[in-house]
Amino acid sequence: MKQLILFLLTIFCLASHSYSQEKDSITYKYVLPIWGQKVADRGMANQLQLPFGLNLNYVNVFMDLDITEFGLEVGGKDFSDVLNVETLNFTKVSATTNGVNFRADAWVLPFINVYALFSSVTGGTQVALQPTWKDATGEILLQLPEFSSKVEFNATTYGIGTTLVFGWDNYFLSTDFNYSRTNTELLENQVGYATLSARTGYRFRLSNKTPDLYIAPYAGAMYRNFVGAKGNSGSIGLDEVFPELDATFNNAVDEKIASNQEIIDAPGTSAAEKIKLQAQNQALTTIEEKVNDSGLFSTKVDYQIEKELAQTVTFQMGFNLQINKNWMLRGEYSLSDQQRFILTGLQYRFGIKKKEFR
């Protein structure tokens, strides 16, 4: 392990050599990073960022979701046989969040940064579904019109992460991993979320008169997904989300039963067709009675839901603008049909001096 750490330090120092404007070793005055003095001994202390940072970012995220499991209970009675992923027929599920992200970080080694993050966001989940019931042969018994609704929510997120960096002749490569958990009033359980990303770019000096003024555009890829996605549970009133669902459901069932009955009573209907339609009407009547007797649409129902991101890997592009050693700006963007990620932020960096320099 010791040999690996020394090897990484050697790589960092060699990679940073092309950035160096200093020829002589100086005494490194800050408590972090560890081995900061070793970097200073190689004449590269000026190329290190100040060891501590405070970041304030605005983040906007949009993502399409796939519902893989869904179940309902009313008063402890399971309705998964009537209302599930197949019968609800989700046609569109997406989530959008807007909020402020605060991050505090520290360079513990010249090439390793660790950080903690906290976010407070508002958002909404857009859901569209077209409930459809089929018989055992796959023929549609009943299909309701498509419904759509948006549920607003507030959420808080906290997490930890680490970044590993490597540079050579103004080129740089960084990899980042963080894990976070989100609390929202819509779900009883916290949602775990993991992000793994890699970025590469080039650092340009913008002014010879201002040696610390740099811009570093970059591009990369990001993987994001839920962690431990065994499903989440919550409680909600269906009439709050879909206020017309009750009347639409009953009207559609009654019209379908009446339409089937007209065909059954018609003189030219074959015996086999009559038996088939009578079985359909019996199934529809059972479904309607079960739903109406339960008060499903007017009372709070407990639900169990399991979801996945429709797209887990995205292409990212962005920039870091270093105004001076203390202040930096950052922007990062990702646009696709199934995901959107926008981050814009301000960073302040500072150092804590060793006792002998205070």
Side-chain angles (χ1 to χ4, degrees), residues 142-164:
L142 176 68
Q143 186 171 62
L144 303 186
E146 187 176 57
F147 292 85
S148 64
S149 179
K150 185 175 183 180
V151 179
E152 305 287 343
F153 63 86
N154 296 314
T156 56
T157 300
Y158 57 92
I160 56 174
T162 184
T163 304
L164 177 65

Side-chain angles (χ1 to χ4, degrees), residues 202-277:
Y202 187 84
R203 189 176 75 154
F204 297 90
R205 173 173 283 175
L206 297 180
S207 172
N208 291 328
K209 295 181 179 180
T210 310
D212 292 329
L213 182 60
Y214 285 93
I215 188 168
Y218 60 82
M222 180 179 292
Y223 169 84
R224 287 170 284 187
N225 209 349
F226 300 109
V227 176
K230 297 180 179 179
N232 298 98
S233 57
S235 180
I236 197 169
L238 291 184
D239 56 346
E240 299 173 11
V241 183
F242 303 105
E244 300 178 0
L245 185 57
D246 188 0
T248 302
F249 170 77
N250 284 288
N251 290 338
V253 173
D254 293 341
E255 289 175 2
K256 181 64 175 178
I257 291 175
S259 175
N260 285 349
Q261 192 61 47
E262 288 182 5
I263 299 174
I264 293 171
D265 295 338
T269 304
S270 66
E273 184 70 9
K274 287 183 178 182
I275 293 173
K276 172 186 170 182
L277 294 177

Side-chain angles (χ1 to χ4, degrees), residues 16-52:
S16 300
H17 180 70
S18 61
Y19 293 161
S20 179
Q21 303 297 322
E22 300 179 50
K23 302 300 181 182
D24 300 320
S25 174
I26 63 172
T27 302
Y28 190 71
K29 60 184 177 181
Y30 298 115
V31 295
L32 287 179
I34 301 170
W35 298 340
Q37 186 57 53
K38 293 182 181 295
V39 176
D41 291 342
R42 288 165 173 78
M44 293 176 284
N46 190 50
Q47 305 311 312
L48 294 176
Q49 286 188 347
L50 293 174
F52 298 98

Side-chain angles (χ1 to χ4, degrees), residues 73-189:
E73 286 189 1
V74 180
K77 189 174 183 180
D78 186 14
F79 275 76
S80 297
D81 59 332
V82 176
L83 296 176
N84 50 55
V85 171
E86 292 184 0
T87 60
L88 288 175
N89 188 23
F90 293 97
T91 57
K92 177 74 173 179
V93 182
S94 62
T96 304
T97 61
N98 293 277
V100 176
N101 172 296
F102 175 77
R103 195 175 89 167
D105 73 89
W107 287 99
V108 295
L109 289 171
F111 47 86
I112 296 180
N113 181 278
V114 296
Y115 59 88
L117 59 88
F118 175 83
S119 300
S120 178
V121 302
T122 60
T125 299
Q126 186 78 33
V127 180
L129 67 162
Q130 189 172 20
T132 303
W133 287 267
K134 299 180 181 180
D135 62 18
T137 65
E139 183 174 345
I140 294 177
L141 294 174
L142 176 68
Q143 186 171 62
L144 303 186
E146 187 176 57
F147 292 85
S148 64
S149 179
K150 185 175 183 180
V151 179
E152 305 287 343
F153 63 86
N154 296 314
T156 56
T157 300
Y158 57 92
I160 56 174
T162 184
T163 304
L164 177 65
V165 298
F166 170 76
W168 180 266
D169 196 21
N170 283 316
Y171 293 95
F172 62 89
L173 171 67
S174 69
T175 59
D176 182 273
F177 173 79
N178 69 65
Y179 174 77
S180 62
R181 298 190 68 83
T182 298
N183 289 319
T184 175
E185 68 273 15
L186 294 181
L187 299 174
E188 294 178 358
N189 304 320

Side-chain angles (χ1 to χ4, degrees), residues 290-314:
K290 183 175 182 179
V291 170
N292 288 329
D293 290 346
S294 70
L296 176 66
F297 298 116
S298 58
T299 60
K300 290 283 185 180
V301 298
D302 298 320
Y303 64 88
Q304 178 75 18
I305 186 170
E306 187 169 326
K307 56 189 179 298
E308 296 178 353
L309 291 181
Q311 181 179 2
T312 57
V313 179
T314 57

